[in-house]
Amino acid sequence: MSSRALVLVHDPAKSRRDRIPGALIPAFARRDIDHHIFSFVCARGSAPAPDISAYDLLVVMGSHESADDPRVPWLAHELAFVTKAVERGTPTIGICFGGQLLARALHGEVTRADFPERGFTVVKSDDPDLIPQGFWMQLHADSFIVPPGATELARNASGSQAFVAANALGLQFHPEITVDSFESWVERWVESGGLPRVGDGGLDPDALRREIAQHEQDSVRACDQLVDTFCTRYMR
């Protein structure tokens, strides 16, 4: 019997949503995990939130919004949903914004990163079976503070990069990145009025695209290993 994963994305365009999870999708398919994509960005007031009890795994993807910005209209609704999932024991993976939102659901905090990150940086891991040590894609100016009772698993000069609390895994980096998933980000940025700022400098999409292409095969393999270890350890 296959498992079911709910993937929360943060893009109003339904045409892009299937591309955002990138390397996670083939990793799920290899493990007979069906996935359903949902977004609170457009859903509030127009569609009911999914029934989390119908899923065996929750994944919360990145966003160009801040996970600690009360002006984001859908944020409180999604935070309540993720908190409910964690409280009921649903295995959960939070990625970048999703990791920060997961930290908040676990009574942690989100703060400005010591060093905002763009592109691939080295992550030091205490658990290389779950998080292979090496280069991971980054794009963030905020960071999570490891929640009370959670265990930090990985870090770099910018701050904490991963934590685990029971069966909830928070990541600051983007294991899902592929060239195509990055293109979906760029399309969203253009529609939103321009590229985001990360730290003091602007973004160079062409440079990031080349860097992602250079690391893509290794990154996809590392993502597959992360998913495999997480499922083996934390999914019933």
Side-chain angles (χ1 to χ4, degrees), residues 177-186 189 205 208-209 212:
I177 198 68
T178 63
V179 171
D180 184 62
S181 65
F182 177 71
E183 293 296 345
S184 75
W185 299 3
V186 175
W189 295 336
L208 282 174
R209 192 177 289 112
I212 292 165

Side-chain angles (χ1 to χ4, degrees), residues 134-211:
F135 288 97
W136 292 96
M137 173 65 183
Q138 310 271 3
L139 193 61
H140 67 101
D142 292 342
S143 292
F144 50 68
I145 295 175
V146 175
T151 301
E152 184 183 69
L153 298 179
R155 69 204 60 81
N156 65 8
S158 180
S160 293
Q161 291 289 330
F163 67 83
V164 66
N167 58 359
L169 176 65
L171 306 173
Q172 187 55 71
F173 53 85
H174 286 275
E176 84 285 4
I177 198 68
T178 63
V179 171
D180 184 62
S181 65
F182 177 71
E183 293 296 345
S184 75
W185 299 3
V186 175
E187 291 167 19
R188 172 74 194 279
W189 295 336
V190 171
E191 284 188 9
S192 299
L195 302 178
R197 294 187 61 83
V198 179
D200 295 331
L203 295 181
D204 182 343
D206 291 334
L208 282 174
R209 192 177 289 112
R210 289 191 297 270
E211 190 174 359

Side-chain angles (χ1 to χ4, degrees), residues 19-223:
R19 298 162 59 197
I20 292 169
L24 291 173
I25 301 305
F28 290 161
R30 278 189 284 274
R31 289 156 188 88
D32 200 23
I33 299 174
D34 296 330
H35 71 278
H36 172 66
I37 294 176
F38 182 80
S39 182
F40 283 95
V41 174
C42 296
R44 192 170 189 181
S46 60
D51 177 5
I52 190 59
S53 68
Y55 296 92
D56 306 291
L57 171 65
L58 172 65
V59 182
V60 188
M61 303 302 297
S63 171
H64 68 257
E65 305 284 7
S66 171
D68 198 30
D69 186 350
R71 298 169 298 178
V72 178
W74 45 266
L75 183 60
H77 197 201
E78 183 167 327
L79 176 59
F81 182 85
V82 174
T83 301
K84 178 181 178 181
V86 170
E87 289 175 347
R88 74 177 304 277
T90 303
T92 300
I93 301 173
I95 295 173
C96 197
F97 168 95
Q100 296 164 14
L101 199 68
L102 179 60
R104 290 192 62 196
L106 292 164
H107 310 293
E109 298 178 22
V110 176
T111 186
R112 300 297 288 178
D114 291 339
F115 303 100
E117 296 182 284
R118 298 184 293 269
F120 282 79
T121 64
V122 174
V123 171
K124 296 181 178 180
S125 174
D126 297 333
D127 190 346
D129 289 333
L130 179 61
I131 301 170
Q133 183 160 301
F135 288 97
W136 292 96
M137 173 65 183
Q138 310 271 3
L139 193 61
H140 67 101
D142 292 342
S143 292
F144 50 68
I145 295 175
V146 175
T151 301
E152 184 183 69
L153 298 179
R155 69 204 60 81
N156 65 8
S158 180
S160 293
Q161 291 289 330
F163 67 83
V164 66
N167 58 359
L169 176 65
L171 306 173
Q172 187 55 71
F173 53 85
H174 286 275
E176 84 285 4
I177 198 68
T178 63
V179 171
D180 184 62
S181 65
F182 177 71
E183 293 296 345
S184 75
W185 299 3
V186 175
E187 291 167 19
R188 172 74 194 279
W189 295 336
V190 171
E191 284 188 9
S192 299
L195 302 178
R197 294 187 61 83
V198 179
D200 295 331
L203 295 181
D204 182 343
D206 291 334
L208 282 174
R209 192 177 289 112
R210 289 191 297 270
E211 190 174 359
I212 292 165
Q214 176 186 351
H215 289 277
E216 186 174 50
Q217 291 186 358
D218 290 338
S219 184
V220 168
R221 282 193 292 268
C223 179

